[in-house]
Amino acid sequence: MRIIILGAGAGGGLPQWNCGCVHCNAARAGRLDAMSQSSLAVSADGETWAILNASPDIRAQLAATPALHPTGPRTLPLRSVLVTNGDIDHVAGLLTLRESQAFDLFATAAIHAVLDANPVFGALNPDLVTRRALALDRAADLAPGLGATIFAVPGKVPLYLEGETVQTDLLAETTVGVELSANGRRALYIPGCADLPDWLAQRIAGADLVLFDGTLWSDDEMIRAGLGTKTSRRMGHLPVSGPEGSLARLTAPARRVYVHVNNSNPLCDPASPESAQVRAAGWQVAHDGMEITL
Ligand code: MLT
Ligand code: MN
Ligand code: ZN
């Protein structure tokens, strides 16, 4: 199984267009590596690919990824796109994929209902883009030899569908993790996750690789930095640090990678003490273009 991180960042990326925080300024000045928004590409045979989450940066991400360059006129070796929730950073890139490319679009029925309700996604020609609803906990093939099983993880509805009250640990079709399987190897991709119940930590520990939600380092990070008013958990993201955080709770499998890293997170800076701490604990922090072969 070959995995390419197309975008290691969370929504907004690094630098975020309207952010003058220390990390975004450093990325603009070239002192930190930029991160585009949350997406990865996966292949079992190295020839045909699935994309997991279609970020607003997908045009530049594809241009920067030779494995996903066209093999003929209007022909990309792309078989499918799977989205793990309806968040803008995971679905807006679908609009870029409207230009006469055939692929299957996988999502839960609940996420498909959100896309179906928005006429702008009608730009995806139904003769070419087949919308396929995935049932939870049921295996499907994303590309030749590449299996995927989606499963509910604690999360919430997309920000733009939030009502008066928001349940942030909803276990439903709105936020899913993906178990990828190929050649007897299993990788879990969980870019958004609000909590780590024991069953989920155990499931993760049994995989060969986990790509996990590394959005924020601490629960009040956005508030303390003057960048927002919500806690990490309120945004549907379990913080990395703290006794309940993913760093303390996930000590297996051996291969653990943080993805969906927000621009406020000290993990943006490889020289930060926090980055040294996660490396010492056996984690890697994803970067754009990072490749993993299982
Ligand atoms: C998130 O991951 O929390 C979302 O991408 C936030 C957003 O929609 O901007
Ligand atoms: Mn996001
Ligand atoms: Zn910033």
PDB file of all heavy atoms in Angstrom, residues 73-97:
ATOM      1  N   PRO A  73      -4.991  12.233 -22.634  1.00  0.00           N
ATOM      2  CA  PRO A  73      -5.857  13.406 -22.662  1.00  0.00           C
ATOM      3  C   PRO A  73      -7.054  13.211 -21.724  1.00  0.00           C
ATOM      4  O   PRO A  73      -7.787  12.240 -21.867  1.00  0.00           O
ATOM      5  CB  PRO A  73      -6.309  13.503 -24.124  1.00  0.00           C
ATOM      6  CG  PRO A  73      -5.669  12.395 -24.853  1.00  0.00           C
ATOM      7  CD  PRO A  73      -4.918  11.523 -23.909  1.00  0.00           C
ATOM      8  N   ARG A  74      -7.218  14.072 -20.788  1.00  0.00           N
ATOM      9  CA  ARG A  74      -8.323  13.998 -19.822  1.00  0.00           C
ATOM     10  C   ARG A  74      -8.412  12.625 -19.149  1.00  0.00           C
ATOM     11  O   ARG A  74      -9.498  12.065 -19.005  1.00  0.00           O
ATOM     12  CB  ARG A  74      -9.652  14.347 -20.501  1.00  0.00           C
ATOM     13  CG  ARG A  74      -9.689  15.734 -21.105  1.00  0.00           C
ATOM     14  CD  ARG A  74      -9.729  16.797 -20.026  1.00  0.00           C
ATOM     15  NE  ARG A  74      -9.343  18.104 -20.535  1.00  0.00           N
ATOM     16  CZ  ARG A  74     -10.191  18.975 -21.081  1.00  0.00           C
ATOM     17  NH1 ARG A  74     -11.452  18.692 -21.156  1.00  0.00           N
ATOM     18  NH2 ARG A  74      -9.757  20.133 -21.492  1.00  0.00           N
ATOM     19  N   THR A  75      -7.257  12.061 -18.786  1.00  0.00           N
ATOM     20  CA  THR A  75      -7.236  10.756 -18.125  1.00  0.00           C
ATOM     21  C   THR A  75      -6.288  10.798 -16.938  1.00  0.00           C
ATOM     22  O   THR A  75      -5.077  10.957 -17.108  1.00  0.00           O
ATOM     23  CB  THR A  75      -6.729   9.645 -19.079  1.00  0.00           C
ATOM     24  OG1 THR A  75      -7.391   9.792 -20.323  1.00  0.00           O
ATOM     25  CG2 THR A  75      -7.007   8.270 -18.500  1.00  0.00           C
ATOM     26  N   LEU A  76      -6.830  10.668 -15.777  1.00  0.00           N
ATOM     27  CA  LEU A  76      -6.012  10.628 -14.562  1.00  0.00           C
ATOM     28  C   LEU A  76      -6.145   9.221 -13.974  1.00  0.00           C
ATOM     29  O   LEU A  76      -7.227   8.640 -14.031  1.00  0.00           O
ATOM     30  CB  LEU A  76      -6.568  11.669 -13.573  1.00  0.00           C
ATOM     31  CG  LEU A  76      -5.606  12.205 -12.527  1.00  0.00           C
ATOM     32  CD1 LEU A  76      -4.620  13.149 -13.188  1.00  0.00           C
ATOM     33  CD2 LEU A  76      -6.367  12.942 -11.446  1.00  0.00           C
ATOM     34  N   PRO A  77      -5.072   8.661 -13.401  1.00  0.00           N
ATOM     35  CA  PRO A  77      -5.183   7.318 -12.830  1.00  0.00           C
ATOM     36  C   PRO A  77      -5.925   7.332 -11.485  1.00  0.00           C
ATOM     37  O   PRO A  77      -5.518   6.700 -10.521  1.00  0.00           O
ATOM     38  CB  PRO A  77      -3.722   6.877 -12.668  1.00  0.00           C
ATOM     39  CG  PRO A  77      -2.966   8.147 -12.480  1.00  0.00           C
ATOM     40  CD  PRO A  77      -3.686   9.180 -13.306  1.00  0.00           C
ATOM     41  N   LEU A  78      -7.019   8.071 -11.465  1.00  0.00           N
ATOM     42  CA  LEU A  78      -7.810   8.229 -10.247  1.00  0.00           C
ATOM     43  C   LEU A  78      -9.087   7.410 -10.378  1.00  0.00           C
ATOM     44  O   LEU A  78      -9.841   7.599 -11.330  1.00  0.00           O
ATOM     45  CB  LEU A  78      -8.168   9.712 -10.066  1.00  0.00           C
ATOM     46  CG  LEU A  78      -9.151  10.043  -8.935  1.00  0.00           C
ATOM     47  CD1 LEU A  78      -8.497   9.821  -7.573  1.00  0.00           C
ATOM     48  CD2 LEU A  78      -9.634  11.490  -9.060  1.00  0.00           C
ATOM     49  N   ARG A  79      -9.309   6.497  -9.435  1.00  0.00           N
ATOM     50  CA  ARG A  79     -10.504   5.663  -9.506  1.00  0.00           C
ATOM     51  C   ARG A  79     -11.638   6.183  -8.628  1.00  0.00           C
ATOM     52  O   ARG A  79     -12.802   6.011  -8.940  1.00  0.00           O
ATOM     53  CB  ARG A  79     -10.184   4.215  -9.099  1.00  0.00           C
ATOM     54  CG  ARG A  79      -9.316   3.490 -10.078  1.00  0.00           C
ATOM     55  CD  ARG A  79     -10.044   3.337 -11.421  1.00  0.00           C
ATOM     56  NE  ARG A  79      -9.148   2.799 -12.437  1.00  0.00           N
ATOM     57  CZ  ARG A  79      -8.985   1.508 -12.679  1.00  0.00           C
ATOM     58  NH1 ARG A  79      -9.645   0.625 -11.978  1.00  0.00           N
ATOM     59  NH2 ARG A  79      -8.153   1.106 -13.610  1.00  0.00           N
ATOM     60  N   SER A  80     -11.243   6.769  -7.478  1.00  0.00           N
ATOM     61  CA  SER A  80     -12.308   7.152  -6.552  1.00  0.00           C
ATOM     62  C   SER A  80     -11.859   8.261  -5.611  1.00  0.00           C
ATOM     63  O   SER A  80     -10.660   8.505  -5.431  1.00  0.00           O
ATOM     64  CB  SER A  80     -12.758   5.931  -5.739  1.00  0.00           C
ATOM     65  OG  SER A  80     -11.683   5.432  -4.986  1.00  0.00           O
ATOM     66  N   VAL A  81     -12.852   8.916  -5.047  1.00  0.00           N
ATOM     67  CA  VAL A  81     -12.631   9.914  -4.004  1.00  0.00           C
ATOM     68  C   VAL A  81     -13.568   9.546  -2.858  1.00  0.00           C
ATOM     69  O   VAL A  81     -14.745   9.249  -3.087  1.00  0.00           O
ATOM     70  CB  VAL A  81     -12.948  11.340  -4.506  1.00  0.00           C
ATOM     71  CG1 VAL A  81     -12.813  12.354  -3.379  1.00  0.00           C
ATOM     72  CG2 VAL A  81     -12.037  11.723  -5.670  1.00  0.00           C
ATOM     73  N   LEU A  82     -13.023   9.516  -1.653  1.00  0.00           N
ATOM     74  CA  LEU A  82     -13.839   9.212  -0.472  1.00  0.00           C
ATOM     75  C   LEU A  82     -13.751  10.406   0.467  1.00  0.00           C
ATOM     76  O   LEU A  82     -12.648  10.915   0.700  1.00  0.00           O
ATOM     77  CB  LEU A  82     -13.308   7.946   0.208  1.00  0.00           C
ATOM     78  CG  LEU A  82     -14.057   7.384   1.416  1.00  0.00           C
ATOM     79  CD1 LEU A  82     -13.716   5.901   1.586  1.00  0.00           C
ATOM     80  CD2 LEU A  82     -13.736   8.106   2.719  1.00  0.00           C
ATOM     81  N   VAL A  83     -14.864  10.873   0.972  1.00  0.00           N
ATOM     82  CA  VAL A  83     -14.806  11.967   1.948  1.00  0.00           C
ATOM     83  C   VAL A  83     -15.262  11.452   3.317  1.00  0.00           C
ATOM     84  O   VAL A  83     -16.184  10.644   3.415  1.00  0.00           O
ATOM     85  CB  VAL A  83     -15.621  13.212   1.521  1.00  0.00           C
ATOM     86  CG1 VAL A  83     -15.052  13.778   0.232  1.00  0.00           C
ATOM     87  CG2 VAL A  83     -17.092  12.913   1.362  1.00  0.00           C
ATOM     88  N   THR A  84     -14.536  11.887   4.358  1.00  0.00           N
ATOM     89  CA  THR A  84     -14.780  11.357   5.712  1.00  0.00           C
ATOM     90  C   THR A  84     -15.775  12.193   6.504  1.00  0.00           C
ATOM     91  O   THR A  84     -16.218  11.780   7.572  1.00  0.00           O
ATOM     92  CB  THR A  84     -13.464  11.248   6.507  1.00  0.00           C
ATOM     93  OG1 THR A  84     -12.857  12.548   6.586  1.00  0.00           O
ATOM     94  CG2 THR A  84     -12.503  10.269   5.851  1.00  0.00           C
ATOM     95  N   ASN A  85     -16.069  13.380   6.019  1.00  0.00           N
ATOM     96  CA  ASN A  85     -17.140  14.197   6.609  1.00  0.00           C
ATOM     97  C   ASN A  85     -17.522  15.239   5.566  1.00  0.00           C
ATOM     98  O   ASN A  85     -16.990  15.232   4.458  1.00  0.00           O
ATOM     99  CB  ASN A  85     -16.725  14.820   7.963  1.00  0.00           C
ATOM    100  CG  ASN A  85     -15.500  15.714   7.854  1.00  0.00           C
ATOM    101  OD1 ASN A  85     -15.177  16.235   6.795  1.00  0.00           O
ATOM    102  ND2 ASN A  85     -14.812  15.898   8.964  1.00  0.00           N
ATOM    103  N   GLY A  86     -18.433  16.126   5.932  1.00  0.00           N
ATOM    104  CA  GLY A  86     -18.880  17.131   4.968  1.00  0.00           C
ATOM    105  C   GLY A  86     -18.188  18.468   5.147  1.00  0.00           C
ATOM    106  O   GLY A  86     -18.627  19.469   4.576  1.00  0.00           O
ATOM    107  N   ASP A  87     -17.105  18.496   5.936  1.00  0.00           N
ATOM    108  CA  ASP A  87     -16.427  19.771   6.185  1.00  0.00           C
ATOM    109  C   ASP A  87     -15.895  20.372   4.881  1.00  0.00           C
ATOM    110  O   ASP A  87     -15.480  19.648   3.964  1.00  0.00           O
ATOM    111  CB  ASP A  87     -15.262  19.584   7.163  1.00  0.00           C
ATOM    112  CG  ASP A  87     -15.743  19.387   8.595  1.00  0.00           C
ATOM    113  OD1 ASP A  87     -16.963  19.466   8.834  1.00  0.00           O
ATOM    114  OD2 ASP A  87     -14.895  19.147   9.479  1.00  0.00           O
ATOM    115  N   ILE A  88     -15.871  21.695   4.842  1.00  0.00           N
ATOM    116  CA  ILE A  88     -15.466  22.394   3.620  1.00  0.00           C
ATOM    117  C   ILE A  88     -14.057  22.003   3.185  1.00  0.00           C
ATOM    118  O   ILE A  88     -13.791  21.837   1.989  1.00  0.00           O
ATOM    119  CB  ILE A  88     -15.608  23.922   3.834  1.00  0.00           C
ATOM    120  CG1 ILE A  88     -17.104  24.280   3.891  1.00  0.00           C
ATOM    121  CG2 ILE A  88     -14.898  24.709   2.746  1.00  0.00           C
ATOM    122  CD1 ILE A  88     -17.409  25.686   4.332  1.00  0.00           C
ATOM    123  N   ASP A  89     -13.149  21.820   4.154  1.00  0.00           N
ATOM    124  CA  ASP A  89     -11.779  21.455   3.763  1.00  0.00           C
ATOM    125  C   ASP A  89     -11.712  20.056   3.159  1.00  0.00           C
ATOM    126  O   ASP A  89     -10.697  19.691   2.576  1.00  0.00           O
ATOM    127  CB  ASP A  89     -10.791  21.603   4.931  1.00  0.00           C
ATOM    128  CG  ASP A  89     -11.164  20.817   6.172  1.00  0.00           C
ATOM    129  OD1 ASP A  89     -12.300  20.323   6.266  1.00  0.00           O
ATOM    130  OD2 ASP A  89     -10.300  20.691   7.065  1.00  0.00           O
ATOM    131  N   HIS A  90     -12.768  19.264   3.281  1.00  0.00           N
ATOM    132  CA  HIS A  90     -12.764  17.902   2.745  1.00  0.00           C
ATOM    133  C   HIS A  90     -13.646  17.719   1.515  1.00  0.00           C
ATOM    134  O   HIS A  90     -13.569  16.685   0.854  1.00  0.00           O
ATOM    135  CB  HIS A  90     -13.196  16.902   3.838  1.00  0.00           C
ATOM    136  CG  HIS A  90     -12.147  16.717   4.883  1.00  0.00           C
ATOM    137  ND1 HIS A  90     -12.404  16.144   6.114  1.00  0.00           N
ATOM    138  CD2 HIS A  90     -10.823  17.022   4.887  1.00  0.00           C
ATOM    139  CE1 HIS A  90     -11.282  16.105   6.818  1.00  0.00           C
ATOM    140  NE2 HIS A  90     -10.321  16.634   6.103  1.00  0.00           N
ATOM    141  N   VAL A  91     -14.498  18.691   1.229  1.00  0.00           N
ATOM    142  CA  VAL A  91     -15.394  18.513   0.066  1.00  0.00           C
ATOM    143  C   VAL A  91     -15.251  19.608  -0.993  1.00  0.00           C
ATOM    144  O   VAL A  91     -15.652  19.393  -2.144  1.00  0.00           O
ATOM    145  CB  VAL A  91     -16.893  18.402   0.485  1.00  0.00           C
ATOM    146  CG1 VAL A  91     -17.093  17.263   1.477  1.00  0.00           C
ATOM    147  CG2 VAL A  91     -17.445  19.709   1.031  1.00  0.00           C
ATOM    148  N   ALA A  92     -14.701  20.766  -0.640  1.00  0.00           N
ATOM    149  CA  ALA A  92     -14.670  21.873  -1.604  1.00  0.00           C
ATOM    150  C   ALA A  92     -13.855  21.513  -2.851  1.00  0.00           C
ATOM    151  O   ALA A  92     -14.144  21.996  -3.952  1.00  0.00           O
ATOM    152  CB  ALA A  92     -14.122  23.140  -0.951  1.00  0.00           C
ATOM    153  N   GLY A  93     -12.845  20.652  -2.689  1.00  0.00           N
ATOM    154  CA  GLY A  93     -12.011  20.250  -3.826  1.00  0.00           C
ATOM    155  C   GLY A  93     -12.767  19.444  -4.864  1.00  0.00           C
ATOM    156  O   GLY A  93     -12.311  19.307  -6.000  1.00  0.00           O
ATOM    157  N   LEU A  94     -13.927  18.913  -4.488  1.00  0.00           N
ATOM    158  CA  LEU A  94     -14.731  18.179  -5.475  1.00  0.00           C
ATOM    159  C   LEU A  94     -15.076  19.087  -6.654  1.00  0.00           C
ATOM    160  O   LEU A  94     -15.202  18.627  -7.791  1.00  0.00           O
ATOM    161  CB  LEU A  94     -16.020  17.647  -4.830  1.00  0.00           C
ATOM    162  CG  LEU A  94     -15.832  16.544  -3.782  1.00  0.00           C
ATOM    163  CD1 LEU A  94     -17.160  16.264  -3.081  1.00  0.00           C
ATOM    164  CD2 LEU A  94     -15.289  15.276  -4.429  1.00  0.00           C
ATOM    165  N   LEU A  95     -15.226  20.366  -6.371  1.00  0.00           N
ATOM    166  CA  LEU A  95     -15.595  21.306  -7.440  1.00  0.00           C
ATOM    167  C   LEU A  95     -14.480  21.429  -8.471  1.00  0.00           C
ATOM    168  O   LEU A  95     -14.739  21.692  -9.651  1.00  0.00           O
ATOM    169  CB  LEU A  95     -15.939  22.678  -6.850  1.00  0.00           C
ATOM    170  CG  LEU A  95     -17.124  22.671  -5.882  1.00  0.00           C
ATOM    171  CD1 LEU A  95     -17.323  24.053  -5.270  1.00  0.00           C
ATOM    172  CD2 LEU A  95     -18.386  22.207  -6.588  1.00  0.00           C
ATOM    173  N   THR A  96     -13.238  21.231  -8.033  1.00  0.00           N
ATOM    174  CA  THR A  96     -12.107  21.264  -8.967  1.00  0.00           C
ATOM    175  C   THR A  96     -12.095  20.021  -9.850  1.00  0.00           C
ATOM    176  O   THR A  96     -11.553  20.047 -10.954  1.00  0.00           O
ATOM    177  CB  THR A  96     -10.792  21.365  -8.162  1.00  0.00           C
ATOM    178  OG1 THR A  96     -10.793  22.607  -7.469  1.00  0.00           O
ATOM    179  CG2 THR A  96      -9.554  21.296  -9.048  1.00  0.00           C
ATOM    180  N   LEU A  97     -12.702  18.932  -9.356  1.00  0.00           N
ATOM    181  CA  LEU A  97     -12.652  17.656 -10.086  1.00  0.00           C
ATOM    182  C   LEU A  97     -13.811  17.517 -11.076  1.00  0.00           C
ATOM    183  O   LEU A  97     -14.169  16.416 -11.473  1.00  0.00           O
ATOM    184  CB  LEU A  97     -12.664  16.490  -9.089  1.00  0.00           C
ATOM    185  CG  LEU A  97     -11.538  16.507  -8.047  1.00  0.00           C
ATOM    186  CD1 LEU A  97     -11.644  15.294  -7.130  1.00  0.00           C
ATOM    187  CD2 LEU A  97     -10.164  16.531  -8.724  1.00  0.00           C
TER     188      LEU A  97
END
